[in-house]
């Protein structure tokens, strides 16, 4: 049974059959409980770069060190560990640098550290977080087809929610953008006013917006191209009849 145990140890005298009791009983603490560890981080949700992982044991442990990472006992999937340090005998921290977009998983295997009684730890509940280094892209630019005779509306759609988008993100040739409207967090529209007749094109520049973790968008591979014709038609009247006319013509 775990806890404090007391033992009375008898000492045999050199005198036959005489037992002398030890005046100071032996006290020991019996511990069969394995230490446990919890993995936490101040980072949450979707991240865009390195983050710190905190490894907290429920009691002081020994033998827990960075060498375990190289041996695969302190495991990181889709990432690398650095800056490992002990802040106490039961608390440790390290920096995790993700490698590619997707889940990053940190785990502590069983029996990588022991408590004062020599009990090996139980495996920790893995810590998982999502890393995103994929820039947003423009999935389409829509507007009128063919000819226009004045201002028109253009709509740009991103592959994910973005922020920071402004009128300067519209790259317009032979025209001016105004009246920016956020239809939703990934779709924006503007009014394009042509400067002169001819071709007007609209696209989106690189770095015009960023996603929730700060990845700037790629330049759009899409263009909207229209032909501007703002010249009103004129009417010319003519006849083959001579003047003055003496009848119908």
């Amino acid at each position: 049974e775990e806890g404090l145990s007391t033992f009375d140890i008898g000492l045999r005298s050199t005198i036959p059959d005489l037992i002398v009791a030890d005046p100071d009983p032996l006290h020991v603490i019996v511990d069969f409980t394995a230490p446990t560890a919890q993995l936490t981080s101040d980072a949450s949700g979707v991240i865009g770069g390195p983050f710190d992982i905190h490894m907290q044991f429920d009691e002081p442990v020994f033998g827990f060190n960075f060498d375990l990472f190289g041996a695969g006992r302190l495991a990181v999937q889709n990432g690398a560990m650095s800056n490992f340090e002990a802040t106490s005998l039961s608390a440790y921290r390290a920096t995790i640098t993700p490698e590619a977009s997707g889940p990053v998983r940190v785990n502590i295997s069983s029996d990588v550290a022991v408590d004062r009684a020599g009990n090996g730890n139980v495996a920790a509940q893995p810590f998982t977080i999502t890393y995103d280094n994929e820039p947003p892209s423009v999935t389409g630019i829509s507007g009128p087809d063919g000819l226009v005779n004045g201002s028109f509306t253009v709509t740009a759609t991103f592959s994910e929610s973005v922020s920071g988008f402004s009128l300067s993100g519209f790259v317009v040739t032979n025209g001016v953008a105004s009246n920016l409207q956020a239809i939703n967090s990934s779709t924006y529209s503007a009014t394009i006013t042509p400067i002169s007749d001819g071709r007007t094109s609209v696209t989106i520049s690189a770095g015009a917006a960023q996603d929730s973790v700060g990845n700037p968008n790629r330049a759009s591979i899409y263009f909207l191209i229209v032909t501007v014709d703002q010249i009103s038609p004129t009417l010319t009247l003519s006849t083959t009849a001579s003047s003055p006319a003496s009848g119908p013509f």
Side-chain angles (χ1 to χ4, degrees):
E1 181 180 355
E2 291 195 35
L4 179 65
S5 297
T6 302
F7 298 90
D8 290 319
I9 301 176
L11 301 177
R12 184 172 295 278
S13 172
T14 57
I15 301 173
D17 300 323
L18 177 62
I19 301 297
V20 179
D22 186 347
D24 295 317
L26 177 65
H27 301 282
V28 296
I29 297 176
V30 180
D31 178 8
F32 298 126
T33 302
T36 61
Q38 184 178 21
L39 295 167
T40 61
S41 177
D42 294 334
S44 61
V46 179
I47 59 171
F51 64 96
D52 285 347
I53 189 77
H54 303 280
M55 298 159 280
Q56 180 69 54
F57 289 86
D58 63 347
E59 60 177 311
V61 294
F62 305 90
F64 190 68
N65 55 60
F66 183 71
D67 292 340
L68 297 167
F69 173 68
R73 305 297 302 281
L74 177 55
V76 181
Q77 296 177 0
N78 189 29
M81 178 178 289
S82 61
N83 301 327
F84 182 95
E85 65 175 348
T87 56
S88 72
L89 286 177
S90 60
Y92 303 80
R93 64 161 296 280
T95 299
I96 305 299
T97 302
E99 294 176 348
S101 286
V104 178
R105 180 186 174 102
V106 185
N107 190 29
I108 298 175
S109 300
S110 61
D111 297 324
V112 297
V114 296
D115 63 12
R116 289 190 175 97
N119 298 304
N121 68 285
V122 298
Q125 180 71 27
F127 176 85
T128 302
I129 198 167
T130 300
Y131 173 59
D132 175 15
N133 69 342
E134 186 68 23
S137 60
V138 179
T139 59
I141 300 176
S142 61
D145 293 328
L147 285 169
V148 297
N149 62 358
S151 297
F152 59 93
T153 298
V154 63
T155 301
T157 302
F158 290 88
S159 59
E160 59 180 305
S161 296
V162 296
S163 61
F165 189 68
S166 65
L167 284 172
S168 62
F170 286 99
V171 179
V172 185
T173 59
N174 188 33
V176 177
S178 62
N179 190 31
L180 178 69
Q181 299 291 323
I183 298 173
N184 55 48
S185 60
S186 61
T187 307
Y188 298 82
S189 68
T191 299
I192 305 299
T193 302
I195 295 174
S196 62
D197 282 3
R199 192 180 81 161
T200 293
S201 67
V202 184
T203 190
I204 303 297
S205 63
Q210 56 277 331
D211 64 14
S212 61
V213 296
N215 295 312
N217 70 282
R218 296 188 179 98
S220 175
I221 62 172
Y222 297 97
F223 289 79
L224 174 70
I225 300 175
V226 298
T227 300
V228 181
D229 180 3
Q230 302 179 93
I231 300 175
S232 299
T234 59
L235 176 63
T236 301
L237 299 176
S238 64
T239 181
T240 57
S242 58
S243 179
S246 59
F249 63 91

